[in-house]
Amino acid sequence: MASVSVSHMILFIASLIVAASVAGTFTAGVERLDGALSDASLDVSNEVRTDLEIISDAGSPVYDRSGNGNITLLVKNTGTRNLPPDGTGLDVLVDGMYQTSVWVEPIESNAQWQTNDVVRVHIDAGTLGAGDHRVKLVMGGDEEVFVFNT
């Protein structure tokens, strides 16, 4: 009879060791998943809080106004978070081509791009032919498209 008790004890201890190792593996996996969800929720929060509106009139001359071949757009921060005043994180495409020569100019002297502030976005797009053109602004997951004619 003692041998049965000993074998049961060995099986019980072995099952406890297996259960502990499985629980440790699950705990580590759940912690990694929790970290990933926290990071994703922060990214989604920034995307939801970021919103731009291009307030330039499509009928007004936005291209080559000063004779330098630039596109100049008025862009308003309608989101709930302040944006970098230098336009960091602003991606610009003109007719599907990524633009690297882009600068942001605050209209007001406070040099900020806070909620409800308007800035001028200058894009050196080179020479554009006659016809319709599209400018796409992307910042923090928000996308705005502006169509104009030269």
Side-chain angles (χ1 to χ4, degrees):
M1 275 313 222
S3 64
V4 172
S5 296
V6 170
S7 65
H8 280 100
M9 173 101 48
I10 291 172
L11 287 174
F12 177 72
I13 292 172
S15 64
L16 284 178
I17 291 172
V18 169
S21 64
V22 168
T25 303
F26 282 152
T27 302
V30 168
E31 286 176 2
R32 284 194 308 267
L33 180 62
D34 179 51
L37 288 175
S38 295
D39 292 344
S41 67
L42 182 61
D43 291 342
V44 169
S45 172
N46 281 335
E47 286 182 17
V48 169
R49 295 175 51 219
T50 303
D51 192 24
L52 300 176
E53 287 296 324
I54 300 173
I55 60 173
S56 293
D57 183 11
S60 67
V62 296
Y63 174 68
D64 203 24
R65 290 176 53 179
S66 57
N68 56 9
N70 287 343
I71 300 169
T72 303
L73 299 174
L74 296 174
V75 181
K76 184 175 185 176
N77 178 4
T78 56
T80 59
R81 76 177 182 113
N82 296 337
L83 300 175
D86 62 352
T88 302
L90 179 65
D91 294 321
V92 179
L93 294 102
V94 175
D95 294 335
M97 301 294 294
Y98 185 78
Q99 302 298 310
T100 56
S101 184
V102 177
W103 65 99
V104 174
E105 174 192 5
I107 290 180
E108 298 176 11
S109 61
N110 63 3
Q112 298 294 316
W113 198 2
Q114 298 176 348
T115 300
N116 295 319
D117 282 353
V118 177
V119 298
R120 284 187 187 93
V121 176
H122 301 283
I123 307 156
D124 184 7
T127 304
L128 297 178
D132 290 337
H133 300 281
R134 291 171 39 107
V135 176
K136 184 175 187 177
L137 303 179
V138 180
M139 180 172 257
D142 182 48
E143 299 178 2
E144 296 297 321
V145 177
F146 182 76
V147 179
F148 66 97
N149 192 319
T150 55

